[in-house]
Amino acid sequence: MKKILFVMTSLYNGGAERSLVNLLNELPEEEYEIDLLLFKKKGMFLTQVPEYVNVMETPKSIDRMYNSIFNAGLLMPWKLAGNGISRVMTHNSREKRGFRWKYFYSPTISKLEKHYDVALAYISGEILYYVDEKVKADKKIVWIHNDYRAAGHPKKYDYEHLTNMDAIVSISDTCVDILKEEFPQLKNKIFMLENITSSTVLRKRAMEFSPKEYVDREINILSIGRLHEQKGFDMAIQAAGIMKKRGINFCWFVLGNGELESKLKKQISDEGVEDCFVLLGARENPYPYIKNCTVFVQPSRYEGKSVVLDEAKILAVPIVTTAYPTVGDQLEDGQEGLIAPMTSEGIAEGVLKVLEDTALYNRISGYLKSREYGNQKEILKYLKLIG
């Protein structure tokens, strides 16, 4: 049996995390001996990892760096601000992590002893760096789940590690094209593989309950994602304010958690939409919320290929999404939903158009119901890449 290692940050809520769990559940257990290494062995999707996958204990050297800062001692770079290091640490967060890995974490984190046939970094950044430097494997593969350019990945730190990969995978044609433009020297090892989404499993899970939050509400709007600047929930809150001022009776729910929770709650209060814009936190099973909502809204500033958009399409819910650079790979404007300008006004107008134009709403819903968006057969391409 081939020995396979997957490395990931954690299994909290997120598209990449759901994609990984879906992939693990589709891999033939009789062909692979699979280890899963998480930098943080936490997250609601841990329970969805199949039993034949060995979820490793996080090595102490990783646990020390990526969990409580109180355990990391003087190795934490922000503890060294007095030595002038803080001047170097003023880049964006991704560049900061690249710097942190190269000068502080890499010298401290130990190599894995086990040798693998294939090692897969299921996200870029420090997971990529770890697989490159600390894992012994005959073949190494990395996934890049976002628009590399829009996400602000640090080329100066990534390039040397990407060079050492046998394959670089992204999840849409546009994302692949962007990677090839950013790294023309590596274009022959860049591939596109769609995230695995099982329509059968998803529809079954969508029937498990009816969201109590939706009871007695005529219009339930839903968004899902990490509470992060990328996801554009600040624009969604402003859009809700616009809609409320126009007298629309609705409630907009957000599933997800993240570092912007306090900031967004304050904005909700300042905007005066506490009664119609609600942060519900993360949910282990979001599918009943998707299936039973009136409109699904994705207000992102950038994406790779959104897992949750595919899920909304499978569950035949009309979609409104912003015009981020890669959206054309995933949504047919006017057929599967509406692509709105990336502004609070644009989002509000898009949602109102879908809600108020009954013929449009029914046409989109009917079109989605008539299509099959599950792609379990894509697993064959994964198996070929893994080898």
Side-chain angles (χ1 to χ4, degrees), residues 7 55 62 67 80 120 168 188 202 244 253 263 299 308 319:
V7 185
V55 183
I62 295 176
N67 281 278
L80 301 174
L120 303 99
I168 301 165
N188 291 332
L202 196 150
K244 182 177 179 179
F253 298 98
K263 184 176 180 180
V308 73
I319 295 163

Side-chain angles (χ1 to χ4, degrees), residues 282-307:
R283 294 291 188 272
E284 185 271 335
N285 180 7
Y287 306 120
Y289 289 90
I290 300 174
K291 181 181 184 298
N292 292 286
C293 74
T294 314
V295 180
F296 185 86
V297 181
Q298 179 152 311
S300 298
R301 291 184 166 90
Y302 62 89
E303 291 284 343
K305 190 173 184 185
S306 168
V307 172

Side-chain angles (χ1 to χ4, degrees), residues 115-355:
H115 185 279
Y116 293 90
D117 295 293
V118 185
L120 303 99
Y122 207 70
I123 202 166
S124 53
E126 290 153 296
I127 301 300
L128 161 65
Y129 309 157
Y130 178 83
V131 168
D132 178 28
E133 295 182 10
K134 307 298 181 180
V135 176
K136 293 175 286 187
D138 298 329
K139 185 176 186 179
K140 297 184 179 182
I141 304 170
V142 62
W143 261 255
I144 297 177
H145 287 268
N146 272 319
D147 173 341
Y148 187 90
R149 191 180 296 137
H153 288 284
K155 288 178 66 174
K156 70 177 182 180
Y157 292 111
D158 289 354
Y159 177 73
E160 62 180 297
H161 300 287
L162 291 173
T163 299
N164 294 332
M165 295 295 107
D166 295 284
I168 301 165
V169 177
S170 199
I171 55 178
S172 77
D173 291 330
T174 301
C175 286
V176 164
D177 290 343
I178 289 168
L179 279 171
K180 289 180 177 179
E181 290 170 7
E182 294 291 318
F183 301 100
Q185 313 93 321
L186 306 179
K187 63 181 180 181
N188 291 332
K189 63 169 75 174
I190 299 173
F191 302 93
M192 195 280 281
L193 286 178
E194 295 180 2
N195 286 321
I196 299 293
T197 305
S198 170
S199 57
T200 303
V201 171
L202 196 150
R203 291 190 183 106
K204 182 179 179 180
R205 297 215 68 198
M207 299 296 291
E208 289 182 3
F209 63 88
S210 295
K212 64 181 185 299
E213 295 88 352
Y214 290 1
V215 175
D216 298 328
R217 298 183 189 275
E218 185 176 346
I219 298 174
N220 294 293
I221 301 168
L222 179 68
S223 298
I224 298 178
R226 291 177 299 115
L227 305 184
H228 183 276
E229 190 267 346
Q230 171 192 351
K231 300 300 181 179
F233 293 132
D234 55 320
M235 294 187 291
I237 293 167
Q238 292 170 346
I242 293 169
M243 293 170 59
K244 182 177 179 179
K245 289 173 183 175
R246 296 193 187 180
I248 309 300
N249 184 19
F250 68 95
C251 196
W252 193 324
F253 298 98
V254 175
L255 298 184
N257 51 30
E259 62 268 32
L260 294 184
E261 182 175 352
S262 296
K263 184 176 180 180
L264 292 175
K265 284 183 175 179
K266 182 178 185 305
Q267 185 186 355
I268 290 168
S269 176
D270 292 345
E271 194 73 39
V273 292
E274 301 100 319
D275 59 331
C276 61
F277 198 99
V278 181
L279 304 179
L280 289 178
R283 294 291 188 272
E284 185 271 335
N285 180 7
Y287 306 120
Y289 289 90
I290 300 174
K291 181 181 184 298
N292 292 286
C293 74
T294 314
V295 180
F296 185 86
V297 181
Q298 179 152 311
S300 298
R301 291 184 166 90
Y302 62 89
E303 291 284 343
K305 190 173 184 185
S306 168
V307 172
V308 73
L309 273 195
D310 282 340
E311 293 169 345
K313 287 158 67 175
I314 288 171
L315 295 174
V317 177
I319 295 163
V320 175
T321 182
T322 45
Y324 54 84
T326 61
V327 71
D329 283 343
Q330 197 167 9
L331 194 80
E332 191 174 350
D333 191 24
Q335 289 272 45
E336 299 171 320
L338 292 185
I339 299 175
M342 196 184 294
T343 63
S344 54
E345 294 82 5
I347 295 167
E349 292 297 334
V351 174
L352 289 172
K353 184 174 182 180
V354 170
L355 290 176

Side-chain angles (χ1 to χ4, degrees), residues 6 19-28 34 36 49-50 52-53:
F6 285 87
S19 170
L20 174 56
V21 169
N22 288 341
L23 172 58
L24 291 173
N25 277 281
E26 293 292 334
L27 290 173
I34 301 174
L36 172 61
V49 175
Y52 59 83
V53 173

